[in-house]
Amino acid sequence: MGVYEHEVLDRVEKLLPVLRERAQETEDLKRIPDQTITDLRATGVLQLMQPTQWGGYAAEPVLVYDAIRRISRACGSTGWITSVFGIHPWHLALFDQQAQQEVWGADREALICSSYAPMGAGLQVDGGFRVSGAWRYSSGCDHADWALLGGPVLADGAPVLVDGMPQFGSFLIPKADFTVDPVWDTFGLAGTGSNTVVVQDVFVPEHRFLSFYAMNDGTMPGVAVNTEPVYRMPWGTILPTGLSTPVLGMAEGARDIYVEYQRERWRAAFVGEQAKNDPYVTERVGRVSSDIDASWRQLAGHIVEEYQTILAGQEVSIDTRLDARRDQVRATQRCVAAIDVFMESAGAAALSKGTPLQRLFRDAHAARVHATNEAEKVYDMYGQYKFGRDPMLIMV
């Protein structure tokens, strides 16, 4: 499952040494450098999930995750942002054609940030919504031309209900209608610039709202025009996998750094011997590498399986979606634990500010905090379903 041939991946590989060199600058800036955004655009990675009608690849989805993990080996923050900007074109492709025209008709390289948690709402009015709120943790918002902001639809001060549940979805809002509050100052993923997006009583027309219910039942208007199979992939696989894959790439990067460092390191406990000859060092590399590689095989395997199901003209079952969601959070857990093993045995030199291993350690733990990577709720949801109960199937 590890090697895919594509011109974008070739260009990504050539960029990795540059991203590795810029990793500390990225952290210090608290945002992705402008030149890195230019370089990512040049590789084509941000267009992998963009529809062909707008100049994108509409590619097999496993390709974008492979690119994300490679970039995350070099810089965790850049990998995270690649995921954000690389997957949002898939979401926009599900919107009404008029919304796509407003974004990509004006700029086919437009970047879209998001914050899906309901930190604001849209008041239903004639022709659309009046949207207000302050959406925190919107990664890459400083660079974004548009924002996808989650929230309920309100009418007369109360939530609008669909089948007894509040109507909830994403409002698509241009940069001219939001401001950025620069509050991001963290110990991990510091370079993602995940600041707060503020919207104050902005009108959003109906065609720039997409309900999560429509995405769940397959009635998204965009698929009538964007008929490529990738746009039939489940939302609950596409987005969560995009938030685990950077952690996996960080674990692969940490392994490479650990092996290289231990290759040259001398330990006082082994007089006249190098750390690479310490059986506890070699055991860690072997044991932890199995978890990292298994995580990628599971993530990529589920993506490929679901995509092949769609190519065969079939629906992806709830069981298959739950399997993918279960292994998505498991991959995050495994890879954070793997980095912990490397960090705790790397020696005091790895603690120095500016060293890549401690930065990947911090970035991975910051990524683990994201709600989509919260494993316990997903395991419980999976278990309840297997016992015949009817859990709230969140993000599947």
Side-chain angles (χ1 to χ4, degrees):
M1 305 300 299
V3 178
Y4 304 94
E5 294 182 3
H6 197 280
E7 60 191 41
V8 170
L9 297 183
D10 291 340
R11 291 194 286 266
V12 164
E13 279 294 321
K14 293 175 183 176
L15 182 60
L16 296 187
V18 176
L19 299 180
R20 194 171 288 113
E21 194 68 28
R22 283 190 198 140
Q24 187 59 50
E25 176 192 358
T26 301
E27 179 163 271
D28 294 341
L29 282 174
K30 301 180 184 177
R31 64 196 288 262
I32 302 299
D34 293 345
Q35 185 58 50
T36 294
I37 296 295
T38 299
D39 292 340
L40 290 173
R41 279 176 161 149
T43 67
V45 67
L46 304 183
Q47 285 73 49
L48 280 174
M49 283 195 169
Q50 192 162 318
T52 54
Q53 69 160 321
W54 302 112
Y57 292 92
E60 181 178 355
V62 74
L63 289 168
V64 75
Y65 299 110
D66 198 2
I68 291 165
R69 75 176 182 128
R70 296 181 192 212
I71 291 169
S72 300
R73 294 171 189 164
C75 175
S77 287
T78 304
W80 187 268
I81 291 298
T82 301
S83 184
V84 168
F85 286 156
I87 290 175
H88 285 153
W90 177 89
H91 191 178
L92 177 57
L94 308 182
F95 274 73
D96 185 275
Q97 179 73 0
Q98 187 175 349
Q100 297 177 54
Q101 176 66 44
E102 290 174 2
V103 177
W104 287 320
D107 180 5
R108 293 194 174 192
E109 292 189 334
L111 300 177
I112 307 168
C113 66
S114 71
S115 182
Y116 292 116
M119 300 178 188
L123 179 64
Q124 203 166 47
V125 295
D126 186 32
F129 315 89
R130 303 298 306 188
V131 177
S132 296
W135 283 265
R136 302 171 69 187
Y137 316 125
S138 182
S139 300
C141 58
D142 291 299
H143 293 287
D145 303 292
W146 292 78
L148 287 162
L149 303 176
V153 174
L154 306 178
D156 299 323
V160 173
L161 301 182
V162 177
D163 296 330
M165 297 292 290
Q167 171 76 302
F168 186 86
S170 297
F171 302 94
L172 178 64
I173 297 177
K175 188 172 187 174
D177 288 342
F178 67 79
T179 59
V180 174
D181 187 6
V183 295
W184 188 246
D185 186 14
T186 58
F187 93 110
L189 289 179
T192 61
S194 302
N195 290 304
T196 298
V197 170
V198 180
V199 177
Q200 296 181 338
D201 193 29
V202 167
F203 176 73
V204 177
E206 287 182 2
H207 65 267
R208 284 203 263 119
F209 174 79
L210 181 60
S211 164
F212 286 122
Y213 297 101
M215 293 174 69
N216 284 336
D217 64 19
T219 59
M220 313 82 72
V223 297
V225 179
N226 298 316
T227 57
E228 297 94 341
V230 66
Y231 304 113
R232 288 291 182 181
M233 288 287 289
W235 160 257
T237 299
I238 289 288
L239 180 65
T241 303
L243 299 178
S244 286
T245 304
V247 183
L248 192 150
M250 294 174 210
E252 292 180 329
R255 176 178 56 192
D256 294 344
I257 293 164
Y258 182 82
V259 169
E260 187 60 31
Y261 180 54
Q262 300 296 350
R263 192 191 312 278
E264 304 299 328
R265 181 183 173 211
W266 290 82
R267 298 187 64 180
F270 290 83
V271 178
E273 298 250 355
Q274 290 180 288
K276 66 181 181 181
N277 297 321
D278 180 350
Y280 296 105
V281 169
T282 52
E283 184 275 340
R284 289 185 186 103
V285 172
R287 170 170 51 87
V288 172
S289 290
S290 179
D291 285 340
I292 297 170
D293 294 349
S295 296
W296 173 242
R297 286 179 176 273
Q298 285 187 309
L299 289 179
H302 287 304
I303 293 291
V304 170
E305 179 186 0
E306 292 184 2
Y307 190 69
Q308 291 298 320
T309 298
I310 292 166
L311 288 178
Q314 301 171 7
E315 291 288 329
V316 180
S317 69
I318 290 295
D319 291 84
T320 298
R321 295 181 184 198
L322 279 168
D323 288 349
R325 189 77 166 91
R326 175 202 65 200
D327 292 339
Q328 172 259 316
V329 293
R330 184 62 178 160
T332 299
Q333 284 193 314
R334 279 175 160 175
C335 291
V336 169
I339 297 173
D340 287 352
V341 169
F342 295 138
M343 187 66 192
E344 70 190 16
S345 60
L351 300 175
S352 300
K353 291 182 179 179
T355 57
L357 184 56
Q358 56 81 33
R359 184 169 51 246
L360 289 170
F361 169 83
R362 291 184 286 105
D363 288 347
H365 277 272
R368 167 61 183 85
V369 169
H370 195 284
T372 304
N373 285 323
E374 190 172 350
E376 293 76 14
K377 288 183 179 179
V378 175
Y379 295 151
D380 175 60
M381 177 175 65
Y382 179 90
Q384 287 192 47
Y385 181 80
K386 289 300 180 183
F387 279 104
R389 299 175 195 151
D390 188 21
M392 184 178 291
L393 297 175
I394 303 170
M395 283 271 195
V396 294

